[in-house]
Amino acid sequence: MNKKQTGFSLVELVVVIVVVGLLAVAALPRFLDVTDEAKKASIEGVAGGFATGVLSARAQWEAEARPSKTVGTEKQNFVNYDGVDFWLTRSASSNGSDTGYRDGYPLDIVPNNGSFPTGLTDNACISLMENLLQNPPKVDTVQNASTNRDVKYSAEVNDNQDGCIYVQQEGGTAHQFEYEIKTGRVTVTLQ
């Protein structure tokens, strides 16, 4: 009895490698598009959740008959939203002058000493994201986000000092969303 071993010939192996290579070339761009689309969907979801938190805090403030606290000589809008005290914007100062803001949008969290913020800071932007979202992604300053791979979003005050810009850090994209505190608007920019 003569046992003959058989296998693939060199030509058959080359043909299989070429076919697999062609399939990979055809499929790879589609997989890359899926990754980019997932990153876009991710930031749109986070921005949507943030916008919902902003509007929910404002709605609670309205439902509670627009509560305010007096700090110094000024009445400041505030609300306890989901167990966190937030300072809210106001449209007029105590002397009646226009502030340029609409009433009732989250500005910062109320610190333990109860002081009202003198201006918007990067840390206020971080606090807003961490406290308006139920399960926020890791967010930090631009400087810390550049060195910490666990940070998913960087937060900074915009150039006008009246809003926060959140930039997605994953995958080298420049997708971002901006929270305009004057109007409560959240805008997504996909790069």
Side-chain angles (χ1 to χ4, degrees):
M1 195 146 83
N2 193 1
K3 290 187 179 181
K4 184 178 177 186
Q5 288 186 336
T6 60
F8 295 107
S9 70
L10 185 59
V11 172
E12 290 171 326
L13 287 174
V14 169
V15 167
V16 169
I17 291 171
V18 168
V19 168
V20 169
L22 290 173
L23 289 173
V25 167
L28 189 60
R30 290 185 184 169
F31 286 122
L32 292 176
D33 284 346
V34 170
T35 302
D36 189 47
E37 291 301 316
K39 289 175 188 170
K40 289 177 183 177
S42 173
I43 194 163
E44 287 174 342
V46 170
F50 189 91
T52 300
V54 166
L55 294 176
S56 294
R58 186 176 192 288
Q60 185 166 338
W61 176 70
E62 290 283 0
E64 293 176 1
R66 297 181 165 211
S68 62
K69 289 182 181 183
T70 301
V71 179
T73 60
E74 296 286 327
K75 276 179 74 174
Q76 306 293 350
N77 296 329
F78 87 100
V79 70
N80 182 296
Y81 173 68
D82 201 26
V84 178
D85 287 337
F86 284 90
W87 288 123
L88 305 177
T89 56
R90 61 190 180 137
S91 60
S93 64
S94 60
N95 66 8
S97 63
D98 185 26
T99 64
Y101 291 80
R102 292 183 183 167
D103 280 325
Y105 293 106
L107 177 64
D108 199 352
I109 61 171
V110 178
N112 290 338
N113 65 6
S115 64
F116 191 78
T118 57
L120 189 60
T121 65
D122 293 346
N123 286 331
C125 293
I126 292 168
S127 293
L128 287 172
M129 188 165 190
E130 289 176 340
N131 291 288
L132 286 172
L133 294 173
Q134 272 192 333
N135 295 308
K138 181 99 170 111
V139 61
D140 209 332
T141 62
V142 173
Q143 182 179 1
N144 292 342
S146 66
T147 59
N148 186 344
R149 296 180 58 105
D150 292 334
V151 174
K152 304 300 181 199
Y153 287 85
S154 66
E156 67 179 332
V157 176
N158 68 7
D159 292 336
N160 298 332
Q161 302 291 309
D162 62 0
C164 298
I165 297 175
Y166 301 95
V167 179
Q168 187 179 46
Q169 298 297 302
E170 298 176 287
T173 66
H175 304 319
Q176 66 183 32
F177 71 92
E178 182 172 358
Y179 170 45
E180 298 173 35
I181 293 175
K182 284 185 173 191
T183 61
R185 185 178 338 179
V186 177
T187 309
V188 178
T189 305
L190 301 174
Q191 303 294 333

